[in-house]
Amino acid sequence: MKIVLYTFLILILTSSKQAETDSIYLELAKSLIEKNDVEQLKSLQLKFLTYQKDSSTVFMNGWYYYDTVNQKYQNSRGTTVGLKNNIYWFLLIDNLQFGHYTWEIDWKQPESEILGIISALAKKKNYTLPKIPSAKDDEKIDAGGRLKFYNKTIKKNGFTLVNLYIDSDTYVTAILKKENFKKISILAQKTGNKISEY
């Protein structure tokens, strides 16, 4: 009887801890979206639930895909332990990327493509951005340097570009209202992750 009760208590504690984790990530997603996109949030919540019921929907032969059924539409992020231990962070990033709220920018991506990405991210949220001056396609400046340069102009107009850190040579980028950055940064910290301004 004691073993059954103990097992039941562990199940309750585990499920309540999972519910708390899901809640923080969903609040973070809602804050990053910055508008009432119920469908996007539902799709993220469904992804969490699907993964919790069956991890093979995300991992196939040890390799991570946002959706193992539709691998041809995505690249694998690999097999690292860090990825597996931080799966909800990557599910959030990839879900928002499919919804065009985040965009992964390669470190060597050219200026014209980066400016197009910034424009698409702003358009998704109906934000009007100022004309962004060129950072010059200087070989010495990588995408991170360009994003930092562009953000000086963007911040003067009430918005900010942010990086959802994934320990990679790519930059997961989103655009926010500047006033929302602090709250979002704190929510990311609660998940054990980092969102920083460029």
Side-chain angles (χ1 to χ4, degrees):
M1 181 66 176
K2 286 182 181 178
I3 293 172
V4 172
L5 183 59
Y6 180 72
T7 305
F8 180 69
L9 287 172
I10 287 177
L11 285 171
I12 289 173
L13 289 171
T14 304
S15 63
S16 68
K17 185 175 180 184
Q18 187 59 58
E20 185 181 331
T21 298
D22 289 3
S23 176
I24 292 170
Y25 275 102
L26 288 167
E27 180 62 28
L28 177 57
K30 185 178 179 183
S31 299
L32 284 163
I33 291 168
E34 294 184 310
K35 64 181 191 175
N36 189 23
D37 190 338
V38 175
E39 292 306 311
Q40 188 71 42
L41 291 171
K42 277 185 186 174
S43 76
L44 180 59
Q45 190 169 33
L46 180 61
K47 189 64 199 178
F48 287 168
L49 292 171
T50 304
Y51 166 72
Q52 288 157 15
K53 287 179 184 171
D54 181 3
S55 64
S56 73
T57 59
V58 170
F59 289 103
M60 179 174 278
N61 300 322
W63 289 79
Y64 165 88
Y65 294 88
Y66 178 72
D67 181 356
T68 54
V69 174
N70 294 304
Q71 289 178 44
K72 66 181 180 178
Y73 298 112
Q74 50 195 306
N75 294 317
S76 171
R77 288 194 180 277
T79 61
T80 67
V81 173
L83 189 154
K84 290 176 182 173
N85 291 340
N86 201 9
I87 189 62
Y88 293 97
W89 180 244
F90 288 96
L91 291 175
L92 174 136
I93 285 171
D94 289 338
N95 177 272
L96 293 182
Q97 187 156 293
F98 279 113
H100 304 296
Y101 288 104
T102 64
W103 209 296
E104 206 158 334
I105 299 172
D106 187 76
W107 71 274
K108 60 184 182 299
Q109 207 142 359
E111 178 171 77
S112 60
E113 289 179 15
I114 297 172
L115 290 172
I117 289 167
I118 292 169
S119 177
L121 289 169
K123 186 176 180 183
K124 177 71 179 181
K125 293 184 174 185
N126 297 318
Y127 295 158
T128 304
L129 294 181
K131 180 167 174 39
I132 301 170
S134 172
K136 309 289 186 238
D137 242 336
D138 185 337
E139 292 295 319
K140 296 173 191 166
I141 303 176
D142 75 349
R146 288 192 178 99
L147 288 159
K148 190 173 187 175
F149 177 84
Y150 306 143
N151 210 25
K152 289 176 187 172
T153 299
I154 292 169
K155 285 172 84 170
K156 289 177 188 172
N157 289 270
F159 302 103
T160 188
L161 293 171
V162 297
N163 177 32
L164 287 73
Y165 184 73
I166 60 168
D167 191 21
S168 170
D169 62 357
T170 61
Y171 301 91
V172 179
T173 302
I175 190 165
L176 312 170
K177 291 177 182 169
K178 198 164 78 169
E179 66 201 38
N180 294 338
F181 170 71
K182 188 172 182 181
K183 174 188 175 185
I184 288 168
S185 175
I186 290 167
L187 282 169
Q189 286 172 16
K190 285 184 180 180
T191 71
N193 291 289
K194 181 173 145 186
I195 296 178
S196 57
E197 291 181 284
Y198 287 105

